[in-house]
Amino acid sequence: MRFTRMDVTGDDLLKMLTALSNQHRLRIVGLLSVERDYVSRLAGRLGMSRPLLHMHLARLEAAGLIEGSLELSADGKAMKFFEVTPFALHLTPESVAEAVKTLSDDRRGDGDEK
């Protein structure tokens, strides 16, 4: 999914920025931008437990930044591979202002509003 200023919604932008606001998820995207990888090897490269990695991968996948696919290895073992989904964010005050116009009216989530 490639986002441009014209088609990114406020909710999409918020999901993407939230997903990328974590150092572990940034590292995951960085590694996957070079080559796709499977969970066990990726966990080892990052020095992270597989359950924690799965949590980060789920957040990135929900934001549309990566995608996973199950494949069978030569010995019949199921392996989940992840790869970066092409995306481009060009943030300017104007693009943020356009995205804000399409935000859902859900004020319960961040606690900033009273």
Side-chain angles (χ1 to χ4, degrees):
M1 184 180 318
R2 182 176 174 107
F3 292 109
T4 63
R5 182 175 169 201
M6 298 305 288
D7 61 7
V8 67
T9 67
D11 294 335
D12 292 335
L13 181 61
L14 193 56
K15 280 183 189 176
M16 292 173 78
L17 292 176
T18 300
L20 292 171
S21 70
N22 177 281
Q23 65 175 324
H24 300 297
R25 291 191 289 269
L26 280 178
R27 286 187 178 108
I28 292 166
V29 171
L31 287 173
L32 294 177
S33 71
V34 176
E35 66 177 328
R36 71 188 198 116
D37 211 345
Y38 60 94
V39 173
S40 293
R41 188 169 67 186
L42 192 56
R45 292 172 71 191
L46 291 163
M48 182 181 296
S49 70
R50 288 189 336 192
L52 181 58
L53 176 60
H54 275 289
M55 190 243 352
H56 289 301
L57 291 169
R59 177 71 64 92
L60 290 166
E61 198 167 24
L65 299 169
I66 66 169
E67 61 185 9
S69 60
L70 279 175
E71 298 180 20
L72 291 178
S73 66
D75 64 358
K77 181 180 174 185
M79 300 169 62
K80 187 147 188 186
F81 279 85
F82 285 90
E83 61 188 325
V84 170
T85 304
F87 66 91
L89 287 175
H90 182 76
L91 293 177
T92 64
E94 295 80 17
S95 66
V96 171
E98 285 299 312
V100 166
K101 294 176 184 176
T102 63
L103 278 172
S104 297
D105 191 24
D106 182 5
R107 298 184 181 150
R108 296 168 283 152
D110 61 15
D112 286 344
E113 303 212 9
K114 303 221 181 230

